[in-house]
Amino acid sequence: MTAFPLAANLGAARAGNCPVARTEDEATNLAGGPVFLAMEEFAETFATPAAAEDAAPGLYGSGLYELIWRDDAWRVAMRYWRPAPPAPVARTAEAAAKKPLGRARTPEEARKLLGHPAELAHEVLPNLYSDHKQINRRHGALVKNGLAHIVEREGKFAVELTFWRPMHPPGVAAPLAPMERTELAERVAAPLKGPTPQAELDVGLFERIAPENPDVVLVTEEGDGRFRGSD
């Protein structure tokens, strides 16, 4: 398995004096927060593969590099672990995508927002898309900075999101974060209101209100109708 350098940018990765990690978990532990495997091209181009190999020792067989022919020149792209920006903090992936409690780079920062120990999770959002363009319109920023990845599901595409969530024993619901408790209390205290005033409940199954007079109930099967409140 290839060990990729962990660096903030391509220049640091090429310097060769940064730590390396084989897996995302190893890189996450080294970085102290979420990372993603970046693939970035060198700024310079090369006339021959040999010239590219001189600039990137280990071009062949190491798994770090990819040699690309484009626009009449050879180019080299390098893979390396890059620290991702602060990840959303939420109880679920859907909440992380729509309305996170905040953002954090480390477990300690996430714990302050949740009021509970946090873990870095990867979950696939339920929405499916027919192509990458639809995903990029909605989640393009997350995909670009490495906090989201495009995966295949049921012949379509979905988004796998990286976020901080409460850590809790299996089968036990995580406690609410302080912000969530406040929001829940406000909802409980607020009076229940429907979108329209509640209608009176004396209209029968086969009856309806007369459009020209709201005090008259019309029978839809037989009869000429009756006034509201009449026997």
Side-chain angles (χ1 to χ4, degrees):
M1 183 180 291
T2 302
F4 300 101
L6 171 64
N9 52 57
L10 178 61
R14 291 182 65 178
N17 55 358
C18 46
V20 297
R22 288 180 170 80
T23 66
E24 184 177 354
D25 287 342
E26 291 179 8
T28 297
N29 290 333
L30 288 172
V35 299
F36 68 102
L37 190 61
M39 184 171 176
E40 192 172 346
E41 289 186 12
F42 291 5
E44 65 269 32
T45 59
F46 307 96
T48 64
E53 189 174 9
D54 290 339
L59 177 62
Y60 303 107
S62 68
L64 290 176
Y65 306 99
E66 187 168 327
L67 185 62
I68 304 167
W69 173 259
R70 189 178 69 247
D71 298 333
D72 299 323
W74 291 102
R75 304 168 187 272
V76 174
M78 183 179 184
R79 298 180 180 88
Y80 65 99
W81 296 111
R82 180 192 295 173
V89 180
R91 294 168 62 85
T92 66
E94 291 182 76
K98 295 178 181 178
K99 190 179 179 181
L101 298 173
R103 296 181 180 274
R105 270 206 50 79
T106 66
E108 291 74 20
E109 293 176 359
R111 179 171 185 163
K112 290 180 181 178
L113 290 169
L114 291 167
H116 197 77
E119 63 181 354
L120 197 61
H122 308 277
E123 287 187 15
V124 177
L125 297 173
N127 290 346
L128 298 178
Y129 304 88
S130 58
D131 55 47
H132 288 202
K133 290 182 180 179
Q134 292 180 332
I135 292 178
N136 288 328
R137 280 196 295 269
R138 186 167 184 179
H139 303 289
L142 291 171
V143 173
K144 185 176 181 179
N145 62 30
L147 291 175
H149 301 279
I150 299 175
V151 296
E152 289 191 30
R153 288 290 187 277
E154 303 174 14
K156 293 188 176 182
F157 300 100
V159 174
E160 182 183 69
L161 183 64
T162 298
F163 68 103
W164 295 103
R165 69 182 177 191
M167 184 185 300
H168 55 88
V172 178
L176 294 176
M179 187 181 301
E180 292 175 314
R181 288 196 294 269
T182 300
E183 182 177 348
L184 180 60
E186 291 175 350
R187 290 186 179 184
V188 171
L192 295 176
K193 294 182 179 180
T196 58
Q198 184 173 346
E200 295 185 34
L201 303 179
D202 63 341
V203 179
L205 180 62
F206 300 103
E207 299 175 332
R208 62 185 178 86
I209 302 296
E212 67 276 6
N213 188 345
D215 293 326
V216 175
V217 178
L218 298 178
V219 180
T220 57
E221 286 195 339
E222 60 182 6
D224 296 329
R226 61 183 174 84
F227 284 95
R228 185 184 299 274
S230 63
D231 294 333

